[in-house]
Amino acid sequence: MRIVAFLKKTFLENLREWKVLILTLVFAPAFVYMMFGYFEAASPAYRLLYVNHDGAAGATAGAAPADVSSEVAGLLAAWEGARHPDGKPVFVVTEVTDVPAAEAEVRARDADLLVEIPSGFSQALRDFAVGAGSDAGASPPPARLVNHADETSVRGAMAMALSDYTAFTYAGVLTQAASPLDVTLASLGSERQLSDFDLYVPALLVLALIMTLFTAATSLVKEVDRGTMMRLMLSRLRTWEFLAAITVNQVLIGLIALGLTYLAALSVGYRSDGSVAMVLLVGAVTTLGVAAIAVVTAALLRSMFELLTVGTFPFFILMFFSEVMFPLPRVRVAELAGHVLYANDVLPPTLGVRALNRVLNYGGGLSDVGFELVVMLLLTAGYFALGTWLFRRRHMRT
Amino acid sequence: MTDTRPSPVGASAVAATQPDASAAGGRDCVLRATDLVKRYGDLVAVDGLSIEVRRGEILGFLGPNGAGKTTTLKMMSGLLAPDAGSVEIDGRPVRAGALHGSASVGVAPQEIVIWDSLTCLEQLQFAGMMYDMPAAAARERATYLLEVFGLEGKARKLGKTLSGGMQRRLNIALGLVHEPEILFLDEPQAGLDPQSRVLVREYLRSLRGRMTIVVTTHDMEEADKLSDRVCVIDHGRLLVMGTVAEVKGRLGGGELFEITVDADVTEALLPFLHRLRPTCTLSADGSTLSLASTQPAEAVAEVLREVAGRGLLLVNLRARGATLEDVFIDLTGRKLRE
Ligand SMILES: Nc1ncnc2c1ncn2[C@@H]1O[C@H](COP(=O)(O)OP(=O)(O)OP(=O)(O)O)[C@@H](O)[C@H]1O
Ligand SMILES: [Mg+2]
């Protein structure tokens, strides 16, 4: 009964201190809309510049000097026609004439690649096509392209690889030269076309859960700050009941936040293969982990002021290191029953993101995320033990 | 201002540094604190304090700022672990520092401790339920206490929206919800208007015999009106403990003489009265000398002789009953505490 009364009280307080609650509930859904807008607006296409020194040798008579040979036109068409799996263009292709200016653009990473089409490009392709068809011994020299790129830029390197691949394929078809190598793709992607945004949705859902760090820590720190901890200490309420009531309340708030965020994702066209029950299960376990970290956080703080200043540290640590904001390089630390554990898996939300991704985007079931759930629960138990010990030491001895 | 104190207090019959065996033994002792010590760094806030509280009494707990009253109350209510010594309530040791305390203790702390975002009714009911009261009973008790403390009109108002005095009344009510056996009140009257003071005092008096109350206050008149017994502590040590009459009787059998002359007595008279010191308590306040003595007639005559001999003019001479404040000042001096 005490635990129910305490749960009701905590919930009432959360409702009345609605600013924190509203922030917690709308932060992640708002993020969904912002990220969706960003992914839509920001073209993932590589910006490819080209300069054409090819002398328009095959241009039809009377055509304007700017006109290009059919070979160059074909190459441009190949670049422009290249598509990502989701149907979006790979390149935005732009012609330039001022090479130093274009190089500066690439250096500043405003463009990803500058391709120079040297003079004689079309002629060389044509010669090659004829040579390849004849029985003559030595092949004519190949047509050349020159890449001006910053190979230390990931986008630059990607753009170069994709543009080269497109050009090779085009030249191969054009000249009917046999390729010594044929590479095919065995797709490991989901059967569904996953956009970058789709892959980001699990992280956004976990972001909603991370936000409950604030409501949970508020519920705890407030009793300390206001001195009411003393009344609780005098009463028959037990430490575990106190923490359990606040945790249950957080799981409820977390699931509401998760639901709202999921609805926001649905409203912008996100579709999932996963079962709702699995999403809620993973969500609940992840919130438990966040609540446990909130207990540790609250144990280290004495006032609401400290919570809103120092308390943002653990919040940012959770945001960054659980890869909710962006992916991090993975540091392997152990392998357990065929599952790899990474350094940042010590934060339950990291595992939550991974498990939710499997459920939402790959239709994973309990057996697919069982390992993550077990590890999360173990970590959560550890954080609760540490948090309870610290909280009692620091706030329950006056 | 000068502070003239007689010999150390321990000599007196009522200065019960050791609990008065006959009195405490004769009546049921509900709380026994033995040799309590609490240190904060170099500061000894409570220094070997032993107190027995009798069942059903109202004990006024007096002492200057920083004397160690709050610290002692916290140790007696199980909120603070003593560095040495022990506290027993009904013969059971009080363990500090864990949730799930004893339901027999109620506390209204010196600072206001209420839940800002719960209504008056909600928090009283909630507090009752934290002591395992069923929801309905807790609500009934909450409604009753709101009436008692004149807060029935504020039942549905949030704690943070109450005035300071109302919050203080709620603070007291929160300590009473579960009908504790012993109630510790740390300056319950501070910040209350005269009406509220009367209301709180009357209610506490109505509990006399049913509930044991330990109450600190700086208002000597209040302590006089409210308490069955009082104790005065300073520097964490017990100076005196007894019934109000006993404690007042320490000063010249409860009778005090005030002799007013036409000069500042600190310079003009006091230095020449050292002969009286062993038997008298003298204190000077401007042109008035206060005198308490076990042989008052001789002492007053001696002072008057000195007045005449020094060519001073006697402006007024009167006798009055000693107040707790007189005893308090006598015991703890006139100097402010830093
Ligand atoms: N948490 C603390 N840390 C350090 N010193 C403390 C602490 N609490 C109390 N003290 C010191 O212990 C002494 C006794 O304090 P206490 O609060 O018990 O006095 P008090 O008799 O209640 O005074 P007041 O009448 O002003 O309320 C004081 O000197 C105070 O400065
Ligand atoms: Mg105090």
Side-chain angles (χ1 to χ4, degrees):
Chain A
M1 246 20 248
R2 294 190 293 260
I3 200 167
V4 176
F6 199 91
L7 176 62
K8 192 177 148 200
K9 166 204 168 262
T10 309
F11 190 68
L12 267 179
E13 285 180 324
N14 277 161
L15 280 184
R16 295 199 179 133
E17 282 141 36
W18 52 271
K19 281 179 195 161
V20 181
L21 184 65
I22 296 284
L23 174 76
T24 305
L25 291 180
V26 306
F27 187 78
F31 233 77
V32 167
Y33 290 113
M34 283 188 314
M35 291 319 283
F36 179 75
Y38 180 79
F39 277 118
E40 282 290 286
S43 165
Y46 299 100
R47 204 157 164 244
L48 188 156
L49 311 180
Y50 74 93
V51 55
N52 184 15
H53 298 305
D54 188 48
T60 42
D67 274 6
V68 296
S69 69
S70 63
E71 286 78 9
V72 171
L75 176 64
L76 295 181
W79 276 335
E80 275 161 0
R83 286 287 178 269
H84 282 299
D86 62 4
K88 290 185 180 147
V90 175
F91 300 107
V92 175
V93 185
T94 313
E95 178 172 22
V96 294
T97 47
D98 183 349
V99 173
E103 280 182 338
E105 251 190 281
V106 174
R107 230 177 257 120
R109 302 197 180 178
D110 288 333
D112 300 297
L113 173 67
L114 167 66
V115 183
E116 187 184 339
I117 305 172
S119 65
F121 173 78
S122 304
Q123 193 56 53
L125 275 181
R126 245 172 263 142
D127 292 348
F128 198 92
V130 172
S134 74
D135 299 328
S139 336
R144 288 176 62 242
L145 286 176
V146 182
N147 287 331
H148 301 239
D150 174 358
E151 75 282 14
T152 63
S153 144
V154 175
R155 281 184 65 90
M158 279 300 295
M160 200 151 56
L162 289 170
S163 116
D164 290 354
Y165 171 78
T166 310
F168 274 121
T169 310
Y170 165 70
V173 171
L174 187 74
T175 60
Q176 293 173 328
S179 166
L181 183 65
D182 179 32
V183 179
T184 55
L185 167 72
S187 173
L188 295 178
S190 124
E191 285 175 26
R192 213 151 48 85
Q193 288 289 344
L194 286 174
S195 68
D196 286 352
F197 177 73
D198 292 342
L199 290 171
Y200 201 54
V201 167
L204 289 170
L205 294 185
V206 171
L207 179 65
L209 304 178
I210 291 178
M211 286 304 291
T212 65
L213 183 76
F214 276 116
T215 40
T218 301
S219 294
L220 291 160
V221 173
K222 209 175 47 203
E223 305 281 359
V224 175
D225 193 13
R226 196 60 187 77
T228 38
M229 198 63 219
M230 161 229 130
R231 294 209 182 278
L232 302 177
M233 276 164 70
L234 282 172
S235 81
R236 290 192 164 277
L237 186 72
R238 290 170 188 278
T239 312
W240 75 264
E241 294 174 323
F242 168 66
L243 294 177
I246 285 176
T247 303
V248 170
N249 184 52
Q250 285 323 299
V251 172
L252 290 179
I253 292 180
L255 291 182
I256 295 172
L258 183 88
L260 289 176
T261 311
Y262 192 61
L263 287 179
L266 289 183
S267 76
V268 294
Y270 178 74
R271 290 297 172 264
S272 160
D273 298 336
S275 87
V276 174
M278 279 307 296
V279 173
L280 290 179
L281 177 66
V282 175
V285 172
T286 311
T287 326
L288 279 181
V290 175
I293 290 174
V295 177
V296 179
T297 306
L300 299 175
L301 307 173
R302 289 207 176 271
S303 65
M304 291 304 286
F305 175 75
E306 282 186 352
L307 174 60
L308 296 175
T309 49
V310 185
T312 49
F313 262 119
F315 176 73
F316 283 122
I317 286 176
L318 280 190
M319 287 246 287
F320 289 120
F321 287 95
S322 60
E323 304 188 31
V324 164
M325 301 314 290
F326 43 76
L328 289 175
R330 296 238 163 125
V331 182
R332 286 170 80 110
V333 288
E335 200 170 321
L336 213 78
H339 297 270
V340 181
L341 283 173
Y342 301 95
N344 54 353
D345 287 350
V346 72
L347 302 173
T350 317
L351 293 152
V353 174
R354 206 181 303 153
L356 269 184
N357 187 35
R358 224 165 278 155
V359 170
L360 286 169
N361 288 332
Y362 300 92
L366 193 55
S367 59
D368 300 294
V369 295
F371 177 76
E372 278 77 10
L373 290 182
V374 169
V375 175
M376 266 198 276
L377 286 172
L378 289 176
L379 284 171
T380 301
Y383 283 116
F384 264 125
L386 173 68
T388 309
W389 179 75
L390 272 177
F391 197 90
R392 293 183 75 126
R393 258 181 83 83
R394 291 180 47 90
H395 298 320
M396 290 166 64
R397 287 186 189 172
T398 33
Chain B
M1 275 186 201
T2 310
D3 162 33
T4 327
R5 286 205 258 172
S7 54
V9 202
S12 164
V14 279
T17 338
Q18 309 113 322
D20 184 337
S22 64
R27 292 179 60 177
D28 187 6
C29 161
V30 63
L31 181 148
R32 176 175 284 121
T34 316
D35 299 328
L36 286 181
V37 176
K38 185 72 201 180
R39 292 187 198 87
Y40 290 110
D42 289 341
L43 180 100
V44 186
V46 176
D47 192 2
L49 195 65
S50 297
I51 287 179
E52 294 195 350
V53 185
R54 297 168 186 167
R55 192 176 304 283
E57 77 171 343
I58 300 182
L59 175 68
F61 203 67
L62 314 179
N65 288 143
K69 302 181 297 296
T70 300
T71 309
T72 306
L73 247 54
K74 280 185 180 167
M75 289 191 284
M76 294 202 291
S77 56
L79 280 168
L80 183 64
D83 292 330
S86 63
V87 177
E88 284 178 9
I89 292 178
D90 280 331
R92 286 191 305 273
V94 172
R95 269 201 324 117
L99 286 185
H100 197 55
S102 158
S104 53
V105 171
V107 175
Q110 184 168 2
E111 69 281 13
I112 295 169
V113 171
I114 61 175
W115 283 279
D116 286 334
S117 301
L118 296 183
T119 68
C120 295
L121 184 64
E122 279 166 357
Q123 57 191 298
L124 285 169
Q125 185 186 12
F126 166 71
M129 292 178 79
M130 288 302 102
Y131 285 95
D132 290 341
M133 291 172 80
R139 196 183 168 85
E140 203 175 302
R141 176 82 179 146
T143 313
Y144 167 74
L145 285 173
L146 287 174
E147 248 168 66
V148 164
F149 286 97
L151 292 169
E152 62 270 46
K154 298 285 177 185
R156 277 162 217 293
K157 293 277 177 288
L158 298 186
K160 62 182 167 199
T161 65
L162 301 184
S163 79
M166 294 174 194
Q167 290 186 337
R168 202 153 266 290
R169 281 181 267 154
L170 181 60
N171 191 45
I172 302 173
L174 278 168
L176 276 160
V177 183
H178 58 293
E179 300 190 66
E181 231 180 290
I182 308 186
L183 178 64
F184 295 95
L185 296 168
D186 203 347
E187 292 187 36
Q189 305 275 19
L192 292 187
D193 61 19
Q195 289 85 346
S196 306
R197 279 171 182 249
V198 173
L199 186 136
V200 170
R201 189 193 309 142
E202 302 274 282
Y203 180 66
L204 295 180
R205 272 202 194 141
S206 76
L207 295 173
R208 181 180 274 158
R210 285 188 286 144
M211 197 180 278
T212 310
I213 299 175
V214 180
V215 52
T216 78
T217 176
H218 290 296
D219 185 337
M220 296 299 136
E221 221 175 305
E222 189 67 47
D224 195 343
K225 286 179 185 155
L226 191 59
S227 318
D228 299 309
R229 294 198 304 155
V230 293
C231 68
V232 180
I233 69 166
D234 199 6
H235 302 295
R237 282 189 290 259
L238 184 64
L239 297 182
V240 66
M241 182 161 187
T243 63
V244 176
E246 279 170 342
V247 169
K248 283 184 191 167
R250 283 180 47 74
L251 270 185
E255 195 90 53
L256 211 80
F257 292 89
E258 284 179 348
I259 299 152
T260 309
V261 296
D262 63 342
D264 187 89
V265 291
T266 309
E267 285 160 16
L269 197 55
L270 209 52
F272 313 103
L273 293 173
H274 45 265
R275 283 186 313 275
L276 290 174
R277 291 276 165 89
T279 54
C280 278
T281 302
L282 298 173
S283 79
D285 186 358
S287 59
T288 300
L289 179 80
S290 300
L291 179 152
S293 172
T294 40
Q295 289 116 17
E298 283 145 55
V300 172
E302 173 68 31
V303 173
L304 291 181
R305 265 198 297 281
E306 201 60 49
V307 169
R310 308 241 148 240
L312 300 170
L313 187 68
L314 180 69
V315 178
N316 193 14
L317 169 65
R318 73 183 187 108
R320 64 171 174 86
T323 62
L324 273 181
E325 184 167 286
D326 296 323
V327 182
F328 187 87
I329 297 282
D330 175 46
L331 288 170
T332 59
R334 282 189 176 272
K335 253 176 69 193
L336 278 185
R337 298 312 151 104
E338 69 272 7

